Amino acid sequence: MNINDIVGLLEENANDIKQAMEYLRSGRDARAVASNNINEDICLVCIVVRGSNLMTGESTCSKLWVVNLAGIERLEKTGVLGERRLTESVNINRLLSNFENVIDALVNNRRPLYRDSNLMHVLQNALEGKSKTLIFVHISLLEEYVIETLGTLGFTTRVEK
């Protein structure tokens, strides 16, 4: 699977920040995600920057992937109702597990199994080679989210290399 295999994916050219923000708003509005009490959405955005040197004719292309993987879905806290939302919560957990497996393999110089996740397969070029990966995590200071916070901190410890 590559990025062109993603159903409903649109590629838009933005010539300025205002136009780029319009495309982001349009994408947000077109998404179909069942929200729950823990997270409202999961988001995947790829920003492609193309440039060329007018003197030499040399061109470059860089991609910046912004992926919001939300958090581990503890079903008792999500408040999900219905089969579709339950399935989505399970899929979020599976996605996070696959992401951790890929990062763990890369950190420990093993061959990652991208086939376990379409998203990880799409992001393969962004995770290997000369690419740089930066992971931001959100933790809560609220006592009611201590299990989620400890899980997040454990994840960052496993992938910090």
Side-chain angles (χ1 to χ4, degrees), residues 99-115:
F99 180 70
E100 183 173 346
N101 290 341
V102 166
I103 295 296
D104 182 64
L106 290 169
V107 165
N108 291 299
N109 296 317
R110 295 191 318 269
R111 187 167 185 245
L113 297 175
Y114 293 104
R115 69 176 181 265

Side-chain angles (χ1 to χ4, degrees), residues 11-160:
E11 182 176 324
E12 303 286 359
N13 292 314
N15 295 314
D16 57 45
I17 192 69
K18 182 178 178 185
Q19 196 174 32
M21 293 305 294
E22 276 301 313
Y23 290 138
L24 288 172
R25 276 192 282 281
S26 175
R28 179 197 63 211
D29 295 344
R31 291 178 60 232
V33 174
S35 65
N36 57 52
N37 293 337
I38 301 293
N39 70 288
E40 292 185 15
D41 56 14
I42 296 175
C43 184
L44 172 66
V45 176
C46 180
I47 300 169
V48 180
V49 179
R50 291 182 178 92
S52 59
N53 183 322
L54 297 176
M55 302 287 281
T56 65
E58 182 180 326
S59 62
T60 61
C61 178
S62 298
K63 292 181 181 180
L64 170 65
W65 284 96
V66 180
V67 182
N68 174 1
L69 294 178
I72 292 179
E73 298 292 329
R74 290 185 54 222
L75 294 178
E76 66 270 13
K77 284 195 175 183
T78 63
V80 297
L81 299 171
E83 187 64 30
R84 179 172 179 256
R85 290 185 178 186
L86 176 62
T87 300
E88 185 170 298
S89 291
V90 170
N91 287 338
I92 291 168
N93 284 335
R94 187 175 296 124
L95 175 64
L96 290 168
S97 178
N98 288 334
F99 180 70
E100 183 173 346
N101 290 341
V102 166
I103 295 296
D104 182 64
L106 290 169
V107 165
N108 291 299
N109 296 317
R110 295 191 318 269
R111 187 167 185 245
L113 297 175
Y114 293 104
R115 69 176 181 265
D116 290 342
S117 167
N118 288 339
L119 176 61
M120 292 302 103
H121 192 78
V122 167
L123 293 176
Q124 181 174 354
N125 288 339
L127 296 170
E128 292 185 341
K130 295 181 180 180
S131 65
K132 304 293 182 209
T133 303
L134 180 61
I135 300 173
F136 290 93
V137 297
H138 178 265
I139 59 172
S140 176
L141 298 176
L142 297 176
E143 188 174 340
E144 66 185 290
Y145 295 113
V146 70
I147 293 173
E148 289 84 357
T149 297
L150 291 174
T152 299
L153 292 173
F155 170 77
T156 60
T157 300
R158 291 187 296 276
V159 299
E160 71 178 323

